[in-house]
Each structure stands twice: as structure tokens, then as C-alpha cells.
Amino acid sequence: MQEHDLSFVRVEMINAEAPPRSAQGLGHWLHTNMFASVTDSVLTIVGIAILVLVLPPLVDWLFLSAQWTGTDRSFCATTVQGGVRPDGWSGACWAFVADKFQQFIYGRYPAAERWRVDLVAVMFIALLTPLLIPSVPRKALNALLLFIVFPVVAFVLLLGGWFGLTHVETPLWGGLMVTLILSFVGISVSLPCGVILALGRRSRLPVIKAVCVAFIELVRGVPLVTVLFMASVMLPLFLPPGTYFDKLLRAIVGVAIFASAYMAEVIRGGLQAIPKGQFEGADSLGLTYAQKMRLIILPQAVKLVIPGIVSEFIGLFKDTTLVYVIGMFDLLGSVQQNFSDASWATAQTPMTGLVFAGFIYFVFCAGMSRYSMFMERRLDTGHKR
Amino acid sequence: MRKALLTGVLSATALAYMAAAANASTLDDVKKKGFVQCGVNTGLAGFASPDSKGNWVGFDVDICRAVAAAIFGDGSKVKFTPTTAKERFTALQSGEIDLLSRNTTWTETRDTELGFNFAGVNYYDGQGFMINAKKLSGVTSALQLSGASVCVQTGTTTELNLADYFKANHMEYNPVVFEKLEETNAAYDSGRCDVYTTDQSGLYAIRLSLKNPDDHVVLPEIISKEPLGPAVRQGDDQWFDLVKWTLNAMIIAEEDGITQANVEEMKNSDKPEIKRVLGQEKGSKYGADLGVSEDWVVNIVKAVGNYGESFERNLGQGSPLKIKRGLNQLWSKGGILYAPPIR
């Protein structure tokens, strides 16, 4: 006899119902994100009011009323200021940036030799991009090329004086080029030096420890701007006449030393966060000190402090503007220096120049920041709480 | 205090340097190097600033080029070291630069204690006042400014001169001080103070970037003397003479009507004075005495023009600054520029 199972058994999944009308769509999104409570509603309205007040004039100043082309100040000045614009006009003077753009990028590097800077930039991008993309193979070779071979090639190319290249002395360097050189050297020196200093500070050997502590504390106890200033103003007086250290070299050394000391403390923070068991585990496997650090401790420690490291990089990138005090012109320095050009002096010029410089710094810093977040997620191996 | 300490250290070290510097002849060094190393401002409208191509231009820059032209016959054989206000003296003392042409006020301390020689005055400046004539209509003199609020940059001699002036004239004022030049400009432009005070040449440059430049007038009073001029290290008279006579030659060229355009023509002039100046006199050795070629004045004028041309191009009617000659006019035309004769 055939057994009839009277109870209903569903053999296939039922399609999900659409959520109720009150829990979907724009209305729901607005309700939960913008107007969930009285406070939220007030904040939303105030926020929108501020945007309405700020955005239109900003867009107008930046784009709509802006002056895009021109050859001198008259294009960006109102008629009473001796220009062509109507009375009461206010807008960004992008013509100034366009006219001075080459200077903002290369400083006073001779125009005929700028291809060398471009070539270095292309090489840098070509080497850096594959290093940053995790799936591209041959990381070791790539790093070797970028951090050992590239600096030498770049140095020869930029400075010249060899292989038939015209010598371009460093006082002519400037603009974004100097900003990037200082940051690149600072960043690529500070990470290895910082690791060594951090390990030295935790060393059980008293002399090494004392030297590292003294170095770190001494450097962190003095402002960078003081050191640059001393190196530029006092140092030449104590050296015999004729001895002359390149200003750019002084700045590079100063920036690298500073970045290393700060980096050491960031890395030490990572080392301290590693549980003792990891050290003991490595020891029990019979690893040497170098193996233990390289294979077990540092990979974990550095991963923990990626946000700190990148903060240091970003800070360093912006600190390079301090070389302005020793008469060198990085990006911001070049921009500010050009405010003094009387043929571009208008009420709009300084603001436009600073907005431009700020935008460039933002692009670089935001880029570094986003990449570090990507790296953090990729290296996250389950410590997330 | 800080200033005194710095000056002390600088002068002590400077003394040690004088001995060393006296041995070497700057002119020989310069000739060997093939260029003049010249310290200029990091950026001051009209005096030293980069043009669109990044070349240095300006009134102080022209002095550097003139010296290079006198030595090499080529005004481009000069390298510029942009110096900040604090760096400039060390740079000159340590031999990093051969010549400082950076709107530097000639003072007794700088001439003696710091161990410099000023080769003359290329611009007679002085602290002045600018007011909004629309707001303060009827004010024609700084003596009517009692009770005014004054925008001034802090940490400068300007601030001290201001205090001295108002005190000496028994007037009240409210100083509104700022750290940065840009802040001071913005505050004045937005009407936070009635008066702006700084060096007069600076006032004209600032006026360019105001919303309504025509509303603002620079008052006639000058409350301090700021003679600006090129400086060299003490102890090398040959180099000092060369810089001094380069500046004099520019002024003399203006007196004699020698310009960039007509200098070649003027060489054939039969006026004895012009022949002498341009090295066309028989057996002329004015150039040789300075250690340069006989046509040194011709080279200077070809490179930068005479004093008046350089002034008008960088500061005067040929520039956006439109500064009037004022004191910097030839003595024969109501100014105080006066160069000893070349003979």
C-alpha cells in the first residue's frame, strides 16, 4: 500500500519576498541615514544648509568665474586693479598656474634638460607600479632595481656631468621634483634604518641600546626646522672657507635622519605588541636572532603598525616643505616664490597658487593613505576583533 | 636678545674669516670660476623674482648682472643664490656668495661688526604709510593718524620704527600685528585696520594685490631711512671697488644719456666725458685699474641698461609696480643719486 504523507513538504526554496515598502528605497535610506532621530534631522538640515552656502560660491570661484588663460596679471585683475575683469570679479587665476606650471614642477632646471627629469619620473613610475601590485612576480628584483639601481641612475641623470650630460647644479632644482626626491630618499632610508634602530633599542647589548636610545631621543628632541637652519646658517661658519656642502644634500641628510628616528619609534610600538610566546616559539625552533626577526617577529610587527608607518610617510612628505627656510624651493616654495612676480601680482594669485599646491599634496597623501588601507586589508590574517 | 646673541656669534666667527678672506682675491676667484655667485632675495616684487621662464629678474638682480657684465662682458655669467633674511649674512661671510644684492639696509652694525662693505646705495627706501583714502578722506599726512589702528608685521624693525614715530609725535595708535605678510595684506584689505605700514617699495607692491588699488594712497611721510645697497666682504678692496664702480657707472651712464639702445652709437661721440666713460679715450686705463676690460661700462649698459632704464623696467613705469623715482632720481633732477666721476 502506498503511504500518503499528508504533511506538506516543500521541495524547492521559495523566492525571497521584497522587503516591506517602509524598509527599502530612497525613503528608507533617508530615514535611517539622515533623519533617524531629531538630532540627526537637525544635523542633516544644518549640513545641507552649509553645503548650499559654501558649494556654489566655491564652484563658481574654482571653475565658472575662473580665468583659464592669460599672459600676465591684467587677465586676473579687475579694471580698477589695472586689468580687464569687471569690478567685483573674483575667481581662480588658473592662468597664473598655467604660466608657472613648468616652474612648479621642475623649479629652475634648464628647459633643454628637462627631458632628464621626465625620464627619471617615467623610470620611477615603471618600477614603483609593479612593486605596489601584489600579483606581479619578481618582487625582490623589482625592489633591488627601485631602491639600489634607480637612485644611482637618477642621480647621474639629474645631476649630470658624466656621459656627456650637462651638469645641472642642485640650486637650480626645485618644485615638485625636489619634494619627490626628498620624500623618496626619506622614505626609502627611514624604513630600514628605523627597523635597525628599533631592534637596537630593544637589544640586550648595553652599548648598542645606549647608542640607539641616544640617537632616537636626541633627534626627536630637536625640531627639524632647527636642524635645517643650523646646517644652513651655522655650519658654513665653522668649516674652512671653500668647503661647501650642497644644500640639497644637507636637506636630504637632515630629512632622512629625522624620518629614521620617528620611524624607529613606530616600529618599536609594533615589536612591543608581539606576544612573548612568538619570541619563545622562534627560540624553541632553534632559529638564530636574524632568522627569528626576519621570519617571525618583523612580518607581524610591521603589519601591525602599517597605519603608523604610512602616517610617518605622509608627515614626511609634507615636512619637506620646511626646506623653504634654507632658501630651497620645493613645490610650496616655488609657488610662494612666484607670488613675488610683479607681473602676476593680483588679489587672486596667492589663493589660486595655494589651492593648486594643496591639491597636489592631497593627491599624493590621499594616494598613500588609500594604498595603505588596501595593504592592511590584504595582510589582515585574522586578528580583527 | 636672540638677535643680539646671533649677531655676537656671527661677528666672532666673522672676525676669524676676515683673515682667511683677505688672502684670496675675490676677483681672481670669480674669473677662475667663470661666474659671479650672487645672493638675492628669495622673492620680492621688483627687486628679485622669477619670471615666467624661471629666470631671475629685478632691480637687485640687475646689479649682479652688471657686475658679471663688467668682468666677463656677459651679463648671464652669474649664478643666483636665493637667501632668506637670516641666511644672507652667513652666506656672504662664509664665501658661499661673492656679492650680496638683496635689498639690504646699510647700517653701521652691518658695516663694522658684521664685517661687510656696502658698495653704495642702489635704492633709497624708507618706511611709509598707506591708507584707504575713501575711508579716511581728508587725511593727507601721517600726523593726522592719531588713534588709528595700524596693520604691521611683527618681529621687524618696522614695528619698532612705528612705535618710535607715534611716541615722538605724541599720538595714540592701536597696532594690529601679524606674523605673515599675506595675513597682514588680507587684514588691511578687509578693513580691519586703517593704516598699513612697511617699507615704501613694499607698499606699492602690496597695493597691486588689493581689491581696489585706486582707493589707497601712500602718504608722503617717510619715518625711517632704509638705504638699500649691494654688500661685499671687508678686506678685499679690489672687489669692493669693482662693485662700487659698477653701480656708479650705471648712474653715470644715465647722467650722460647712455642707454642700451644708443651705447654703440655713443662710442663715437666726441664728448670727452662720454669717451672717457666708455673707454674710447686714447691710453684709457680706467678698466685696467679695476681689473676688467676697457669697455666695461659698455658691457654693463648693454647687459642691463643705465640706472634709470633698470629702475623703470623693474620698478617704475615699465613694471606693474609703477613706483615713482622720488629720492632715487638723479641729483640734477631733484633726487639724491650722485655718483663720483670716472676720471
Side-chain angles (χ1 to χ4, degrees):
Chain A
M1 161 188 144
Q2 202 172 355
E3 203 172 324
H4 284 279
D5 192 348
L6 291 175
S7 62
F8 173 77
V9 176
R10 187 173 260 294
V11 289
E12 61 200 32
M13 286 296 282
I14 188 168
N15 283 333
E17 283 283 339
R21 188 166 280 264
S22 66
Q24 64 169 328
L26 186 65
H28 170 67
W29 185 85
L30 277 179
H31 188 258
T32 46
N33 290 304
M34 295 288 179
F35 300 99
S37 65
V38 177
T39 329
D40 282 4
S41 308
V42 172
L43 285 178
T44 301
I45 291 166
V46 171
I48 290 175
I50 291 176
L51 282 183
V52 167
L53 278 178
V54 170
L55 266 188
L58 194 67
V59 169
D60 181 60
W61 188 84
L62 281 175
F63 304 109
L64 303 180
S65 296
Q67 175 69 35
W68 298 88
T69 53
T71 47
D72 61 43
R73 66 183 293 274
S74 65
F75 290 85
C76 297
T78 60
T79 39
V80 285
Q81 291 165 337
V84 296
R85 287 298 193 150
D87 228 3
W89 172 81
S90 170
C93 183
W94 297 119
F96 165 71
V97 175
D99 190 49
K100 302 282 188 175
F101 188 74
Q102 299 273 324
Q103 271 190 74
F104 294 167
I105 303 298
Y106 304 100
R108 292 171 51 241
Y109 208 87
E113 306 292 331
R114 284 179 185 164
W115 61 270
R116 283 152 58 176
V117 184
D118 297 338
L119 184 62
V120 168
V122 168
M123 286 197 309
F124 178 64
I125 294 168
L127 286 171
L128 184 68
T129 317
L131 194 67
L132 293 183
I133 300 171
S135 58
V136 178
R138 294 182 210 280
K139 285 278 179 278
L141 177 69
N142 197 334
L144 185 79
L145 282 175
L146 181 61
F147 293 111
I148 309 289
V149 180
F150 169 72
V152 177
V153 176
F155 177 78
V156 171
L157 261 178
L158 291 178
L159 197 62
W162 295 281
F163 311 117
L165 294 169
T166 331
H167 179 65
V168 181
E169 63 236 318
T170 54
L172 295 179
W173 300 17
L176 183 62
M177 173 188 156
V178 159
T179 301
L180 289 179
I181 290 172
L182 282 172
S183 320
F184 175 75
V185 176
I187 286 173
S188 46
V189 168
S190 71
L191 196 56
C193 286
V195 168
I196 292 169
L197 283 170
L199 291 177
R201 194 170 182 167
R202 283 169 60 86
S203 168
R204 259 178 262 135
L205 307 172
V207 174
I208 292 183
K209 181 171 180 165
V211 168
C212 290
V213 170
F215 178 85
I216 293 172
E217 293 308 326
L218 196 68
V219 172
R220 293 204 319 155
V222 191
L224 174 58
V225 70
T226 321
V227 173
L228 286 177
F229 196 61
M230 281 292 281
S232 154
V233 176
M234 302 310 278
L235 193 65
L237 287 175
F238 300 125
L239 294 169
T243 334
Y244 174 68
F245 284 116
D246 195 279
K247 264 189 188 174
L248 183 68
L249 184 69
R250 290 185 226 164
I252 285 183
V253 171
V255 165
I257 287 177
F258 262 80
S260 303
Y262 282 95
M263 190 58 72
E265 288 300 277
V266 172
I267 300 210
R268 192 167 68 96
L271 289 175
Q272 278 174 344
I274 305 296
K276 215 176 171 198
Q278 297 288 325
F279 290 86
E280 291 168 349
D283 287 337
S284 71
L285 286 173
L287 298 182
T288 65
Y289 178 80
Q291 286 173 324
K292 176 172 75 176
M293 286 304 164
R294 190 166 60 85
L295 299 171
I296 311 281
I297 307 300
L298 281 177
Q300 301 187 63
V302 170
K303 190 194 79 187
L304 279 176
V305 289
I306 286 179
I309 293 177
V310 175
S311 290
E312 279 303 315
F313 288 170
I314 291 176
L316 173 65
F317 188 79
K318 290 186 288 190
D319 274 354
T320 55
T321 51
L322 290 177
V323 298
Y324 187 54
V325 302
I326 59 170
M328 274 182 56
F329 301 99
D330 68 323
L331 175 60
L332 185 64
S334 298
V335 172
Q336 282 187 324
Q337 187 189 26
N338 276 295
F339 295 163
S340 70
D341 185 351
S343 56
W344 276 108
T346 66
Q348 310 296 338
T349 316
M351 184 58 94
T352 312
L354 292 176
V355 166
F356 171 75
F359 175 72
I360 300 282
Y361 280 104
F362 175 78
V363 166
F364 278 93
C365 294
M368 284 194 260
S369 171
R370 298 308 298 185
Y371 183 74
S372 94
M373 284 159 80
F374 160 73
M375 220 50 208
E376 262 174 73
R377 274 196 303 277
R378 208 186 123 74
L379 294 178
D380 184 50
T381 43
H383 287 294
K384 201 179 263 174
R385 250 162 270 181
Chain B
M1 183 58 221
R2 201 177 55 183
K3 210 172 196 172
L5 184 68
L6 186 66
T7 317
V9 176
L10 283 180
S11 50
T13 30
L15 284 179
Y17 269 83
M18 288 314 103
N23 296 333
S25 150
T26 313
L27 183 58
D28 291 345
D29 283 351
V30 167
K31 280 181 177 166
K32 212 178 342 164
K33 285 190 293 192
F35 59 88
V36 178
Q37 190 79 46
C38 194
V40 293
N41 199 309
T42 51
L44 178 67
F47 287 88
S49 62
D51 69 1
S52 293
K53 292 195 188 69
N55 300 317
W56 284 99
V57 290
F59 193 57
D60 280 343
V61 168
D62 276 356
I63 297 287
C64 304
R65 293 198 191 279
V67 172
I71 301 171
F72 301 107
D74 181 354
S76 65
K77 292 206 166 161
V78 52
K79 290 189 180 173
F80 296 98
T81 304
T83 52
T84 61
K86 291 169 186 118
E87 269 187 318
R88 55 183 164 179
F89 300 128
T90 330
L92 185 57
Q93 281 165 343
S94 67
E96 198 180 321
I97 55 177
D98 304 313
L99 164 66
L100 179 72
S101 181
R102 189 203 177 279
N103 54 296
T104 303
T105 307
W106 183 353
T107 66
E108 196 260 7
T109 325
R110 289 169 181 176
D111 210 336
T112 56
E113 205 182 332
L114 288 189
F116 298 143
N117 274 338
F118 282 83
V121 177
N122 70 335
Y123 189 92
Y124 290 93
D125 209 343
Q127 187 176 337
F129 297 104
M130 179 163 63
I131 58 161
N132 187 335
K134 259 196 183 154
K135 225 168 89 183
L136 300 177
S137 56
V139 174
T140 51
S141 153
L143 293 168
Q144 294 166 274
L145 289 177
S146 188
S149 54
V150 184
C151 273
V152 60
Q153 213 180 336
T154 184
T156 55
T157 47
T158 315
E159 205 181 351
L160 306 175
N161 293 336
L162 174 70
D164 287 356
Y165 181 76
F166 275 82
K167 199 171 170 201
N169 291 298
H170 308 289
M171 299 193 299
E172 301 271 310
Y173 76 108
N174 301 312
V176 185
V177 291
F178 296 92
E179 191 71 42
K180 292 224 170 70
L181 186 71
E182 285 84 10
E183 290 170 25
T184 328
N185 295 355
Y188 175 72
D189 206 11
S190 64
R192 270 185 68 188
C193 28
D194 311 315
V195 187
Y196 193 133
T197 182
T198 186
D199 286 353
Q200 271 206 330
S201 61
L203 288 177
Y204 285 100
I206 290 156
R207 207 164 75 120
L208 272 186
S209 53
L210 296 178
K211 279 193 210 104
N212 297 305
D214 288 350
D215 292 352
H216 301 268
V217 291
V218 176
L219 296 175
E221 278 84 0
I222 300 258
I223 64 168
S224 72
K225 289 188 288 187
E226 312 280 349
L228 312 179
V232 297
R233 279 182 297 276
Q234 250 172 28
D236 187 345
D237 288 354
Q238 187 193 24
W239 180 245
F240 174 48
D241 286 345
L242 178 64
V243 177
K244 179 166 59 185
W245 282 98
T246 302
L247 176 59
N248 285 340
M250 286 172 72
I251 299 171
I252 292 169
E254 186 182 6
E255 285 178 359
D256 291 343
I258 306 168
T259 63
Q260 228 165 351
N262 72 8
V263 59
E264 280 300 330
E265 218 176 293
M266 282 293 207
K267 270 168 138 180
N268 307 322
S269 162
D270 44 6
K271 282 188 189 154
E273 155 94 1
I274 292 177
K275 278 177 91 168
R276 197 160 51 232
V277 168
L278 295 182
Q280 300 301 312
E281 214 176 40
K282 227 182 209 152
S284 160
K285 58 190 267 298
Y286 301 110
D289 290 344
L290 286 171
V292 295
S293 65
E294 287 314 312
D295 56 354
W296 60 291
V297 181
V298 178
N299 292 333
I300 292 173
V301 176
K302 268 189 192 164
V304 299
N306 65 37
Y307 181 93
E309 287 179 293
S310 175
F311 190 101
E312 294 302 345
R313 183 173 65 239
N314 295 303
L315 303 167
Q317 297 309 312
S319 83
L321 295 173
K322 311 243 182 295
I323 299 178
K324 292 193 182 75
R325 287 290 290 269
L327 281 182
N328 300 294
Q329 181 61 275
L330 295 177
W331 61 280
S332 50
K333 294 185 185 162
I336 56 174
L337 279 188
Y338 187 100
I342 294 179
R343 74 177 310 148

